[in-house]
Amino acid sequence: MLKMRDSNGARMLTLITEQFMADPRLALWRQQGTTMTDKYRQLWDELGALWMCIVLNPHCKPEQKSSWLRQLRRWNSVDVCPWEDGNHGNELPNLTHSLPQGAHANQEMRPHRTVFTRAIEACDLHWQDRHLQHIIASDLYANYCYHDSQEGSLFDSRGWPLWHEHVPTACARVDALRSHGYPREALRLAIAVVNTLRRQQQRQLEHFRRHKKELLHKGHTSITNMEGWVGHPLDPIGTLFNTLTESGRAGEEGSNTCLDLSDCSSVVSRAELQRMPVQRLLGDGESYAALAVETALMGLGQQRVMPDGLYAQEKVCRNEEQLLAKLQEMELDDSLVKIFRKQAVFLLEAGQYSGLGEIVHRESVPMHTFARYLFTSLLPHDAELAYKIALRAMRLPVLESTASSGDLSRPHHIVSVVPNRYPRWFTLSHIESQQCELASTMLTAAKGDSRRLETVLESIQKNIHSSSHIFKLAQDAFKIATLMDSLPDITLLKVSLELGLQVMRITLSTLNWRRREMVRWLVTCATEVGVYALDSIMQSWFTLFTPTEATSIVATTVMSNSTIVRLHLDCHQQENLASSARTLALQCAMKDPQNCALSALTLCEKDHIAFETAYQIVLDAAATGMSYTQLFTIARYMEHRGYPMRAYKLATLAMAHLNLSYNQDTHPAINDVLWACALSHSLGKNELAAVIPLVVKSVKCATVLSDILRRCTLTTPGMVSALHSRRNSGKLMSLDKAPLRQLLDATIGAYINTTHSRLTHISPRHYSEFIEFLGKARETFMMAHDGHIQFTQFIDNLKQIYKGKKKLMMLVRERFG
């Protein structure tokens, strides 16, 4: 920071500014449409603030100010000069004009302000006001005979001076005084500004109370502060806070400098000051620290509009966190607690002037971070007030559509989230995370208090719209409830379960990559709550889970041994729980047989009636609702459970859905086809005879058909079953009779068709592979009684039809004659 009292300070700042303006990165960022880094952007802000201090030098000469003004205007007119609220407008524009009469009316019509605009405007300011000179000249300035009754009065009810300038401008004067080496004068003006804010706050409260009924009847409000003090380019609240804490200490120790305004025509005379009653800068019981804290609370609680642009919004968050960090360094004594109570009451009762008023504008900056600090600070001293503040701050109106003007019963009723509303709120994810942190803090503090927990739960369900954040809160509550080795807090567990149920409802019809984790967690939470909770979620599964989730995760977990052991259930309770799980499984199988039938069969294994019902559901759905893959899977399961005839039935139904073309010799269903044929073969000749026509119809791949044909000729059908082996007397089936004759003919036909298909677009590098394929074809031809003749004719036809492929036909002759 430059020493502004140094005569070379302005010259040094000019050189620094020229270097910044010549930085080639400015033009590059502008050309590429990219944004500056945050640190570099902050340097520009500090540069603008320094120039503000330069031009507000109380002793600068008119010719100096004119020279600085020309420089500032020149820099201000350069294309690459950074804007005050963003980086050359590269951030997304305000895509919606949701506030035609509100915060951002005619947004595009307003000229953009640069980092030097405020310094240029400050060149018109002066220090010649007589009242201002009185304020900064002495601690003695007061008027105890004055009665505070007028809006623009110069003194408050105590007779202490007020300064009614625009707050950021007044604070810029304070900063300038400090920067130029006049800490005592800066302190005097700062106290006058804070007293003005106090008086303004009281007037606002009185005004709202007078018009409260009318304003609340409207159901909506406006923002009185279009330019918030926290996140403001001039950082007015930070300036006041630092002045009161740092300059205040210096003032107590005495100041070596004195601002001499004796050259001013309207200066206060020493005699005039001596006639005024002697008083201190602070009232009885007050301290600079207490005044600084109150100032910070007033600024943080102000209802203000969310600024445009990513940088400006991040700056609001950053400044708020910086102020709160400073507040957290201060030890709360009784006097500070009293100030906290006073400001908390004002925030709750001040209507549109407060960010925690009964109704806030949807564009106002949320109060979550600030309210969390207030909550933790007030909780040990006034729990009721702490919860009122935190619960009021939980709102996030930007994600809600406002109710009709006269609808006061549900002023924050959620109708829908406006999707194109998001582009202007770049920090929305951070805001939602802070909202979640506030809720988590309340849940932790309310452990063991059922009334508080119920109230916090209602607030979460009403105001938090992110399923991920609600899930985090549910997990937090679960951890807190089960943290101790002793019995868990059942009330907090129920809150956790309720939040989990809300997450299930929200994410049921939307995609969420954590959905499976959420479902598993909910079952775990319900298990901790008790058997009635598990039974409840199974009874209402259709509002919480998809059929697949309900069977594969919920019912399966409920019927696991670990759950039974965890719940310490007796036989009767186990059977009731299992019955509910089986009922759920059958309902899911009816609703989604493709994905739930197998799980339903597995869950119903120990109950004959339920198992038969599940099997019938599969049969009913097989014709239209299930794929061959699903049917083959269930068929294999049936064989594994010892139901070969049912497996065979399902396999034949699966074959009806299958279609293997000539070139699909690596199709994943091939193993299922071979298994189905092997199962049919093991059951007997009749079953094999019934399945072969289905194979011939569905499979056109020659190699698959030849594989099936060989397997069927190796052993006698039914030999696997002792019952069928007596019936078939150990005879091999003939290839000249049905059903194998049909399979043989189909295989030979498949080889012929596949050969012609491959020769249509064959390349020389595939010649050797083709010759091997013909070798396999000859083996199948030879299984027929006249196979040699058929194959010879087949080869002769090839040589005649494809005689143009001389090299290939030469290879065919060499191998097959």
Side-chain angles (χ1 to χ4, degrees):
M1 182 77 173
L2 293 174
K3 292 183 178 179
M4 295 304 167
R5 71 184 78 180
D6 191 332
S7 59
N8 294 321
R11 286 193 292 272
M12 291 175 62
L13 190 57
T14 300
L15 292 174
I16 293 172
T17 307
E18 290 288 1
Q19 290 177 350
F20 268 60
M21 292 299 295
D23 192 332
R25 289 178 293 179
L26 288 176
L28 186 63
W29 282 323
R30 182 69 178 269
Q31 183 180 2
Q32 294 179 347
T34 53
T35 57
M36 303 179 189
T37 60
D38 281 349
K39 286 186 178 179
Y40 190 74
R41 187 62 183 79
Q42 289 173 37
L43 289 174
W44 277 102
D45 282 354
E46 292 174 9
L47 198 63
L50 286 172
W51 273 111
M52 193 77 174
C53 289
I54 289 287
V55 301
L56 283 176
N57 183 346
H59 287 304
C60 73
K61 297 177 181 178
E63 56 270 21
Q64 287 178 314
K65 188 175 287 190
S66 298
S67 173
W68 296 334
L69 181 59
R70 286 193 298 272
Q71 287 181 342
L72 289 167
R73 283 176 173 168
R74 178 169 58 84
W75 292 326
N76 189 69
S77 64
V78 178
D79 271 352
V80 295
C81 185
W83 290 346
E84 181 180 76
D85 58 352
N87 301 318
H88 294 309
N90 295 316
E91 297 157 287
L92 292 176
N94 181 9
L95 299 180
T96 62
H97 300 276
S98 55
L99 300 173
Q101 284 87 34
H104 295 274
N106 300 321
Q107 176 74 21
E108 277 70 26
M109 300 301 293
R110 297 187 309 191
H112 283 284
R113 301 171 63 86
T114 75
V115 292
F116 299 118
T117 302
R118 292 185 187 273
I120 292 171
E121 293 171 349
C123 289
D124 293 331
L125 300 176
H126 58 80
W127 297 84
Q128 306 306 312
D129 184 271
R130 183 178 179 83
H131 182 60
L132 175 61
Q133 292 178 18
H134 277 310
I135 291 172
I136 64 178
S138 174
D139 298 346
L140 308 177
Y141 184 47
N143 187 342
Y144 295 112
C145 299
Y146 183 81
H147 296 288
D148 181 24
S149 60
Q150 298 178 1
E151 187 67 27
S153 58
L154 302 181
F155 300 89
D156 62 15
S157 57
R158 298 175 300 179
W160 290 9
L162 304 174
W163 180 241
H164 290 284
E165 195 170 27
H166 178 56
V167 173
T169 305
C171 294
R173 288 185 186 272
V174 173
D175 196 24
L177 288 171
R178 290 178 66 215
S179 300
H180 288 282
Y182 303 109
R184 189 69 180 176
E185 287 78 0
L187 183 60
R188 291 168 186 151
L189 181 56
I191 291 174
V193 172
V194 174
N195 286 334
T196 308
L197 295 181
R198 283 170 156 179
R199 180 177 180 273
Q200 182 187 54
Q201 192 180 68
Q202 186 60 37
R203 290 296 177 91
Q204 289 172 347
L205 181 60
E206 293 167 359
H207 177 269
F208 177 71
R209 284 173 175 170
R210 285 196 302 269
H211 300 89
K212 182 176 181 178
K213 186 175 180 180
E214 174 190 346
L215 292 169
L216 291 181
H217 180 72
K218 292 179 180 178
H220 60 85
T221 187
S222 59
I223 297 181
T224 56
N225 298 296
M226 302 312 300
E227 190 177 62
W229 300 334
V230 175
H232 191 280
L234 298 179
D235 190 21
I237 299 299
T239 297
L240 292 176
F241 189 92
N242 293 335
T243 303
L244 291 166
T245 53
E246 298 170 13
S247 296
R249 287 192 295 271
E252 289 168 354
E253 298 165 1
S255 175
N256 297 323
T257 59
C258 180
L259 178 59
D260 182 13
L261 295 174
S262 57
D263 57 333
C264 300
S265 58
S266 58
V267 69
V268 188
S269 68
R270 178 63 58 183
E272 191 174 2
L273 288 174
Q274 287 176 347
R275 287 196 298 271
M276 299 175 182
V278 178
Q279 66 143 17
R280 297 182 302 156
L281 288 173
L282 301 175
D284 292 336
E286 285 187 334
S287 67
Y288 293 117
L291 208 59
V293 168
E294 187 168 10
T295 303
L297 297 181
M298 284 191 283
L300 289 165
Q302 176 195 42
Q303 184 180 183
R304 53 198 184 273
V305 70
M306 177 66 79
D308 284 320
L310 172 61
Y311 176 76
Q313 290 174 22
E314 287 181 338
K315 189 174 182 181
V316 168
C317 298
R318 187 166 55 248
N319 283 178
E320 182 180 39
E321 290 166 359
Q322 289 168 349
L323 267 175
L324 291 175
K326 291 177 181 177
L327 287 172
Q328 286 167 345
E329 293 174 359
M330 310 190 81
E331 185 177 349
L332 284 186
D333 55 22
D334 291 342
S335 62
L336 290 185
V337 170
K338 184 178 179 182
I339 290 171
F340 270 78
R341 280 199 176 102
K342 170 190 169 186
Q343 287 300 320
V345 170
F346 169 81
L347 290 172
L348 291 172
E349 297 181 358
Q352 75 268 31
Y353 303 102
S354 163
L356 292 169
E358 289 186 51
I359 299 176
V360 292
H361 197 282
R362 63 178 298 156
E363 292 286 333
S364 63
V365 174
M367 297 280 110
H368 308 127
T369 310
F370 175 47
R372 183 155 61 98
Y373 169 72
L374 281 180
F375 177 79
T376 54
S377 300
L378 284 170
L379 189 63
H381 309 283
D382 192 337
E384 193 67 30
L385 183 58
Y387 275 99
K388 282 182 180 178
I389 286 286
L391 291 168
R392 182 72 66 79
M394 279 290 291
R395 300 168 298 185
L396 190 50
V398 74
L399 295 184
E400 303 168 9
S401 63
T402 54
S404 60
S405 298
D407 184 10
L408 293 183
S409 61
R410 306 184 72 182
H412 306 292
H413 176 52
I414 304 167
V415 178
S416 64
V417 176
V418 186
N420 63 353
R421 183 62 200 82
Y422 290 159
R424 208 182 73 80
W425 282 57
F426 299 97
T427 55
L428 186 61
S429 60
H430 172 76
I431 290 168
E432 286 188 289
S433 68
Q434 291 300 304
Q435 182 190 36
C436 180
E437 287 296 322
L438 173 61
S440 181
T441 302
M442 284 195 287
L443 282 176
T444 305
K447 181 180 179 181
D449 188 331
S450 58
R451 182 179 67 86
R452 298 266 193 225
L453 283 173
E454 184 179 352
T455 306
V456 175
L457 173 63
E458 289 175 359
S459 179
I460 292 170
Q461 292 175 323
K462 177 181 178 181
N463 295 299
I464 298 183
H465 310 299
S466 164
S467 59
S468 297
H469 286 122
I470 298 174
F471 183 50
K472 180 185 180 300
L473 288 171
Q475 290 178 306
D476 288 348
F478 183 81
K479 289 175 184 176
I480 299 165
T482 57
L483 192 60
M484 306 300 291
D485 295 332
S486 58
L487 291 174
D489 186 322
I490 190 63
T491 308
L492 193 52
L493 268 179
K494 288 180 179 178
V495 169
S496 177
L497 180 63
E498 282 298 321
L499 292 174
L501 293 174
Q502 185 179 2
V503 172
M504 291 298 101
R505 297 185 193 103
I506 293 173
T507 58
L508 180 60
S509 58
T510 58
L511 294 176
N512 190 302
W513 64 275
R514 299 183 66 189
R515 173 73 183 180
R516 284 186 68 84
E517 177 194 352
M518 292 170 172
V519 174
R520 291 184 186 280
W521 178 88
L522 182 72
V523 178
T524 301
C525 182
T527 303
E528 285 294 325
V529 174
V531 64
Y532 70 91
L534 286 175
D535 190 64
S536 175
I537 64 173
M538 287 192 291
Q539 295 290 340
S540 57
W541 70 268
F542 46 88
T543 65
L544 304 171
F545 315 107
T546 64
T548 306
E549 292 167 346
T551 52
S552 65
I553 300 177
V554 181
T556 303
T557 306
V558 168
M559 294 186 69
S560 67
N561 289 330
S562 60
T563 302
I564 293 170
V565 171
R566 178 66 182 163
L567 292 171
H568 308 291
L569 302 180
D570 58 33
C571 294
H572 178 68
Q573 290 174 320
Q574 289 181 35
E575 180 51 36
N576 286 341
L577 199 60
S579 176
S580 295
R582 287 192 291 266
T583 301
L584 176 150
L586 292 174
Q587 290 173 346
C588 293
M590 287 286 290
K591 191 173 182 66
D592 187 5
Q594 300 95 324
N595 298 310
C596 300
L598 181 58
S599 296
L601 287 166
T602 305
L603 291 165
C604 296
E605 283 177 355
K606 296 181 180 179
D607 186 284
H608 177 71
I609 295 176
F611 188 81
E612 290 298 321
T613 304
Y615 176 64
Q616 191 58 48
I617 290 171
V618 174
L619 293 180
D620 293 342
T624 55
M626 301 187 75
S627 68
Y628 63 84
T629 304
Q630 293 160 341
L631 289 170
F632 273 131
T633 302
I634 298 173
R636 285 177 180 267
Y637 162 80
M638 283 295 185
E639 185 197 31
H640 176 71
R641 297 304 303 168
Y643 299 104
M645 289 306 296
R646 290 185 175 185
Y648 166 76
K649 172 69 173 174
L650 292 170
T652 58
L653 292 172
M655 292 294 295
H657 295 282
L658 181 64
N659 183 23
L660 270 177
S661 62
Y662 76 93
N663 59 348
Q664 292 182 297
D665 51 1
T666 58
H667 195 282
I670 290 173
N671 285 333
D672 289 324
V673 174
L674 295 175
W675 169 82
C677 292
L679 174 66
S680 304
H681 191 277
S682 69
L683 291 175
K685 181 179 179 180
N686 293 335
E687 287 76 9
L688 182 61
V691 85
I692 283 178
L694 295 174
V695 172
V696 169
K697 181 179 178 182
S698 302
V699 180
K700 306 302 179 185
C701 183
T703 54
V704 176
L705 289 171
S706 63
D707 197 1
I708 296 170
L709 183 61
R710 286 185 181 81
R711 293 177 187 222
C712 290
T713 57
L714 292 177
T715 57
T716 301
M719 286 300 289
V720 176
S721 168
L723 176 63
H724 290 97
S725 65
R726 291 193 297 273
R727 185 179 68 186
N728 290 283
S729 304
K731 293 182 180 180
L732 292 172
M733 294 181 71
S734 172
L735 288 170
D736 293 332
K737 298 179 180 178
L740 293 189
R741 180 66 198 186
Q742 183 184 4
L743 181 57
L744 176 60
D745 290 343
T747 306
I748 291 173
Y751 270 113
I752 294 171
N753 291 333
T754 304
T755 299
H756 287 296
S757 296
R758 294 181 69 166
L759 284 171
T760 304
H761 299 292
I762 195 168
S763 61
R765 69 174 181 274
H766 294 137
Y767 284 175
S768 59
E769 182 185 332
F770 177 75
I771 296 300
E772 292 300 319
F773 175 77
L774 285 181
K776 292 179 181 178
R778 181 170 61 181
E779 293 173 7
T780 302
F781 272 85
M782 293 308 169
M783 296 175 74
H785 72 281
D786 58 346
H788 179 73
I789 297 172
Q790 287 189 58
F791 187 72
T792 301
Q793 290 175 346
F794 173 54
I795 293 297
D796 289 342
N797 286 338
L798 289 181
K799 287 188 272 186
Q800 181 63 34
I801 296 172
Y802 301 101
K803 58 186 177 182
K805 301 182 183 293
K806 296 179 181 179
K807 185 176 180 181
L808 177 59
M809 291 303 108
M810 182 184 69
L811 294 173
V812 170
R813 279 194 215 77
E814 288 177 0
R815 180 75 177 269
F816 305 108

